[in-house]
Amino acid sequence: MPRVELANLPAIDFELPDIDGQMHRLDDTAWRLIVFHRHLG
Amino acid sequence: MTQLRQRESEFADKHVQVYVVTFDDNFLARAYVEQTSLKWPLLIDRELKLYRAFSMDRGTWWAIINPISIWKYLLLMFRGRKLQKSGADYRQMGGNVLIDPTGKIRFHYVSTTPHDRPTVDEILEVVGSAEG
């Protein structure tokens, strides 16, 4: 599968729960770093 | 992740909110937070929707199981990290995405091996250069 380069494109919004069930959305007022983990094992 | 965590304060100083995303289940995620004392939010994406949205690909088996990655796992174990059996996809790769305050992706990095990550300097440089 060819790799898609997303730099300079608008980020998609998201809403995901943390381990306590609290939902998180992209905060649109600050820099955000999303670190995608591999499996945690 | 270790390098990022060692420089947590620099991200805070630059007002960068860090989110960590996993596709593992809540049980493993909670154990990971407790074991590593992770302070950043660990978000759970069981269906890999965000992984796919940001083009985080699956790797080949050779990318996962090769002499370098085996050596790095052994180092982690030597340092006291307990490896746990995960029911999740071993071939799913990670990566890093940096988004600026306007919502634009300023840095997009998809790992090609389990231990392939951008340096912290690379990430902070993008923030610094944008802020002048």
Side-chain angles (χ1 to χ4, degrees), chain B residues 5-116:
Chain B
R5 305 239 358 239
Q6 284 169 346
R7 296 174 67 180
E8 266 181 30
S9 62
E10 293 179 61
F11 288 97
D13 290 346
K14 290 185 179 295
H15 306 289
V16 178
Q17 169 66 53
V18 180
Y19 300 94
V20 182
V21 185
T22 179
F23 52 85
D24 268 310
D25 63 27
N26 196 292
F27 179 79
L28 269 177
R30 187 174 291 278
Y32 178 83
V33 168
E34 287 169 5
Q35 189 182 351
T36 62
S37 303
L38 182 71
K39 290 179 189 157
W40 294 320
L42 178 56
L43 310 185
I44 298 175
D45 182 16
R46 293 288 289 157
E47 296 173 4
L48 296 119
K49 286 183 180 171
L50 204 59
Y51 282 78
R52 297 294 170 258
F54 285 106
S55 292
M56 298 294 151
D57 302 332
R58 297 178 81 224
T60 62
W61 278 113
W62 177 248
I64 309 301
I65 303 170
N66 60 64
I68 294 171
S69 65
I70 290 170
W71 172 246
K72 295 213 172 182
Y73 277 121
L74 287 173
L75 277 179
L76 282 175
M77 290 168 71
F78 181 72
R79 290 174 186 152
R81 171 87 180 270
K82 292 177 187 166
L83 301 184
Q84 299 175 29
K85 184 171 171 53
S86 166
D89 186 352
Y90 284 88
R91 287 176 54 196
Q92 177 60 50
M93 289 297 179
N96 297 55
V97 174
L98 181 68
I99 301 166
D100 75 13
T102 71
K104 186 187 281 187
I105 298 171
R106 299 299 295 261
F107 185 79
H108 178 239
Y109 193 97
V110 181
S111 305
T112 55
T113 66
H115 302 282
D116 171 36

Side-chain angles (χ1 to χ4, degrees), chain B residues 109-125:
Chain B
Y109 193 97
V110 181
S111 305
T112 55
T113 66
H115 302 282
D116 171 36
R117 290 282 175 173
T119 65
V120 176
D121 284 336
E122 280 178 90
I123 296 167
L124 289 174
E125 226 174 81

